[in-house]
Amino acid sequence: MELLYEGKAKRLWTTEDPNTLRMEFKNDATAFNGEKKAQFEEKGRLNNAISTLIYGMLEKEGVPTHFVREIDETNVEVRKLDILMVEVIVRNFAAGSFCKRTGVEEGRKFSKPIVEFSIKSDELGDPLVNDAYITELGLATEEDLAFFRESALKVNDLLIKFFAECGLQLVDFKLEYGRLCEDPSVIVLADEISPDGCRLWDLKTGEKMDKDRFRRDLGNVMEAYQEVLERVKKASQA
């Protein structure tokens, strides 16, 4: 196998099948566009397990993803994609960069979900952009953007319900999409869904159960991820 790509949290390896890749979850943790770094021994295993269960749920609910199968504790097989360089953020409550940009107090519930787009670029700091920027730069078409919104809101509805069953409030999350290399007309959900890319608050206590524990030096980062996994497992078996 050949290393095809290495990001902050995952590696992609070629396989014998030209249309599938092996995606490896790393133990690396980063925040603030890579300025803060650490390693947690169980992080790759936990994120792999959480994301695998969530992608399985989404597939059953009719959301096409790149997921094929779990290989082992830190690796999954995924379909090879041409990643669209647009990140899709869905916000249900004010948190993170939204609060920094607007001055709104953390925790404010929005009247309806907010969908944002940013350019997928570590070098640029993943800048927030609008539809006109994206189409002008040739990153995606107007039809692609309409699909992103429709798909992201459907995923949001499904995740809100699923995480509520886990005793968790879905605050916000990031999605990535890509075109199937074997059929570029088909766009599917890519990357992962885990506490690395979602803000999850305990419904009863409001305790943060996601990467904000690392960002804000709250401690017990992997303990929170493990708790999320146990709750996700229980909800998946219900």
Side-chain angles (χ1 to χ4, degrees):
M1 291 177 291
E2 177 187 351
L3 180 62
L4 195 63
Y5 167 82
E6 181 165 5
K8 294 191 290 285
K10 290 178 292 297
R11 298 184 185 95
L12 286 171
W13 303 81
T14 60
T15 69
E16 294 179 353
D17 183 345
N19 293 316
T20 64
L21 300 174
R22 177 167 65 87
M23 185 167 78
E24 177 191 2
F25 287 76
K26 297 163 57 178
N27 288 331
D28 297 11
T30 64
F32 311 118
N33 199 31
E35 293 179 10
K36 183 176 183 178
K37 299 178 181 179
Q39 276 207 334
F40 296 96
E41 186 176 343
E42 292 292 296
K43 180 173 174 289
R45 178 185 69 82
L46 293 170
N47 278 350
N48 182 26
I50 293 167
S51 188
T52 291
L53 289 169
I54 292 173
Y55 271 54
M57 179 274 291
L58 292 176
E59 286 277 2
K60 289 178 182 177
E61 295 292 341
V63 177
T65 77
H66 70 157
F67 179 78
V68 178
R69 66 184 179 94
E70 187 174 25
I71 298 173
D72 57 35
E73 287 191 338
T74 57
N75 290 270
V76 292
E77 185 178 314
V78 297
R79 290 187 279 184
K80 189 176 181 180
L81 305 178
D82 181 12
I83 295 294
L84 292 159
M85 304 306 284
V86 178
E87 294 185 344
V88 184
I89 302 100
V90 183
R91 300 184 182 276
N92 297 305
F93 293 82
S97 61
F98 182 92
C99 296
K100 293 179 182 178
R101 291 195 305 268
T102 64
V104 172
E105 185 179 355
E106 182 182 74
R108 172 179 168 180
K109 182 176 173 57
F110 299 133
S111 57
K112 61 180 181 180
I114 294 174
V115 179
E116 299 175 349
F117 298 129
S118 66
I119 298 176
K120 180 177 166 59
S121 170
D122 291 339
E123 293 77 13
L124 299 176
D126 301 326
L128 199 66
V129 290
N130 61 25
D131 295 30
Y133 279 57
I134 292 169
T135 54
E136 180 63 29
L137 293 171
L139 301 176
T141 67
E142 291 183 1
E143 291 77 14
D144 294 337
L145 294 173
F147 172 79
F148 291 162
R149 285 193 174 90
E150 180 182 2
S151 173
L153 289 172
K154 178 178 180 178
V155 171
N156 188 47
D157 288 342
L158 292 169
L159 290 181
I160 287 174
K161 180 181 177 182
F162 180 77
F163 281 125
E165 295 170 359
C166 302
L168 297 168
Q169 182 76 67
L170 178 62
V171 177
D172 57 32
F173 61 100
K174 174 184 71 69
L175 298 175
E176 294 183 17
Y177 291 89
R179 297 185 186 278
L180 287 177
C181 288
E182 58 188 301
D183 185 357
S185 67
V186 178
I187 298 176
V188 302
L189 191 61
D191 200 44
E192 65 176 299
I193 295 179
S194 74
D196 267 15
C198 301
R199 281 191 173 88
L200 300 167
W201 296 346
D202 186 276
L203 274 171
K204 292 182 180 179
T205 67
E207 183 181 4
K208 293 173 173 58
M209 306 291 286
D210 53 68
K211 196 164 78 169
D212 271 351
R213 301 200 66 83
F214 171 63
R215 293 187 186 98
R216 301 186 181 190
D217 296 316
L218 299 177
N220 297 323
V221 181
M222 290 300 99
E223 288 82 354
Y225 280 41
Q226 181 66 50
E227 177 64 22
V228 170
L229 174 57
E230 293 305 318
R231 297 189 191 189
V232 166
K233 279 182 179 179
K234 187 174 181 180
S236 299
Q237 295 165 358

